[in-house]
């Protein structure tokens, strides 16, 4: 659930550590202030077992369909289950119906892959100020969506895509065009306006497949607008956005 651009929430419990002075007391490192006298351990058998168990619980809400997911190769959950040796989802739960929104022009939302980390909700609220996404319902019926279940109607800045650790929010213009391990990143400056934002052109055989924000000096992803990320000018045409265009070569 961690993204350095937004406030910590301590939701996923995958960053747990232990204080030698309080053995057996596991705590989330992202949400625990450092105090004088702490003696923190980050790797023990108990910590590893707890993280493995939490990953198994997270997989209740996430199908293991990596070969067909565009996030494969840069998926935080995929990296973690490989690191901790999770090969299957042992816990089963009757799945509640979840929306798949393919109607929005630039962002596809497949909530069947959502792990409820809340990063998209927080980044949209804290950084973009739109509050387009929110948690709906409670308990095992909870899901991330829009009010009334409508399609996205926002600035399409793509912040939610950049923060989503799995394939629940993806770039529709990039979908099915390449795989992330084939991409070569070339850093340059966005030319859509005079702000001079840094961007990364994701190239595959000399063709631009997508545009992303480079890492900031503090290790976080930068910010881009809809023009910078998608080459999309948010103008209205008889009540509808102009059809998005992307330069593929």
């Amino acid at each position: 659930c961690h993204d350095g651009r937004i406030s910590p929430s301590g939701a996923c419990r995958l960053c747990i550590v232990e204080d030698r002075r309080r053995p057996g007391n596991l705590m989330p490192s992202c949400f625990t202030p450092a105090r004088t006298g702490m003696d923190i351990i980050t790797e023990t058998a108990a910590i590893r077992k707890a993280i493995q168990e939490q990953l198994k619980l997270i997989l209740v809400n996430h199908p293991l369909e990596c070969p067909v997911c565009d996030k494969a190769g840069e998926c935080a959950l995929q990296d973690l289950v490989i690191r901790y040796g999770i090969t299957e989802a042992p816990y089963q739960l009757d799945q509640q119906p979840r929306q798949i929104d393919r109607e929005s022009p630039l962002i596809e939302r497949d909530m069947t892959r959502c792990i409820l980390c809340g990063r998209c909700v927080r980044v949209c609220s804290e950084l973009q100020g739109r509050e387009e996404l929110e948690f709906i319902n409670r308990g095992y019926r909870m899901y991330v969506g829009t009010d009334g279940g409508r399609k996205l109607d926002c600035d399409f800045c793509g912040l939610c895509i950049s923060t989503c650790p799995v394939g629940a929010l993806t770039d529709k213009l990039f979908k099915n065009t390449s795989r992330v391990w084939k991409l070569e990143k070339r850093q340059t400056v966005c030319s859509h306006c005079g702000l001079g934002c840094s961007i990364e052109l994701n190239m595959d055989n000399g063709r631009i497949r997508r545009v992303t924000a480079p890492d900031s000096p503090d290790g976080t992803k930068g910010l881009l607008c809809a023009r910078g990320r998608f080459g999309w000018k948010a103008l209205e045409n008889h009540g509808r956005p102009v059809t998005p265009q992307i330069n593929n070569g």
Side-chain angles (χ1 to χ4, degrees), residues 15-246:
C15 65
I16 54 174
V17 295
E18 185 177 1
D19 192 340
R20 289 185 195 272
R21 298 189 175 192
R22 304 175 66 187
N25 182 30
L26 304 181
M27 51 193 174
S29 59
C30 72
F31 210 61
T32 304
R35 296 188 297 272
T36 302
M38 277 184 164
D39 187 2
I40 297 299
I41 312 170
T42 60
E43 288 284 346
T44 66
I47 290 174
R48 183 176 182 87
K49 183 178 180 181
I51 292 176
Q52 288 175 328
E53 191 66 21
Q54 188 62 23
L55 284 170
K56 293 175 184 178
L57 292 172
I58 288 174
L59 288 175
V60 168
N61 291 310
H62 189 80
L64 294 174
E65 53 181 23
C66 300
V68 299
C69 179
D70 274 309
K71 194 73 173 182
E74 58 180 3
C75 173
L77 182 59
Q78 184 183 55
D79 293 341
L80 284 168
V81 297
I82 293 173
R83 175 181 174 182
Y84 287 95
I86 309 299
T87 58
E88 60 181 357
Y91 302 133
Q92 302 296 324
L93 184 69
D94 291 338
Q95 294 295 319
Q96 298 295 307
R98 290 189 177 184
Q99 184 181 20
I100 300 178
D101 173 19
R102 297 191 176 98
E103 297 182 20
S104 299
L106 301 168
I107 299 172
E108 180 172 305
R109 294 185 298 131
D110 186 345
M111 293 297 101
T112 64
R113 298 173 178 168
C114 178
I115 59 173
L116 302 175
C117 68
R119 281 166 57 167
C120 60
V121 176
R122 289 181 288 138
V123 81
C124 187
S125 173
E126 295 180 22
L127 293 187
Q128 196 65 10
R130 282 301 301 261
E131 299 184 347
E132 179 72 0
L133 298 170
E134 61 184 342
F135 284 113
I136 299 174
N137 295 332
R138 294 185 179 183
Y140 76 98
R141 293 187 179 89
M142 180 184 289
Y143 65 95
V144 174
T146 57
D147 54 278
R150 56 177 173 76
K151 68 178 182 179
L152 287 177
D153 180 19
C154 58
D155 299 330
F156 292 104
C157 63
L159 280 176
C160 56
I161 294 175
S162 73
T163 196
C164 182
V166 293
L169 293 158
T170 52
D171 179 348
K172 287 185 69 174
L173 303 186
F174 175 66
K175 184 178 181 180
N176 299 328
T177 62
S178 183
R179 301 298 275 181
V180 296
W181 52 84
K182 295 181 178 180
L183 299 177
E184 174 192 356
K185 292 187 177 182
R186 300 179 186 176
Q187 190 161 337
T188 183
V189 176
C190 180
S191 61
H192 285 293
C193 73
L195 289 179
C197 299
S198 295
I199 60 173
E200 284 181 338
L201 301 179
N202 291 237
M203 313 286 292
D204 180 8
N205 291 324
R207 297 169 68 89
I208 300 174
R209 295 302 186 184
R210 66 177 182 181
V211 175
T212 55
D215 291 338
S216 300
D218 60 359
T220 61
K221 290 289 184 181
L223 310 179
L224 290 177
C225 67
R227 291 296 301 275
R229 190 178 301 276
F230 301 111
W232 185 68
K233 190 172 183 180
L235 296 177
E236 292 294 325
N237 181 20
H238 302 295
R240 295 184 177 181
V242 174
T243 302
Q245 302 290 331
I246 190 167

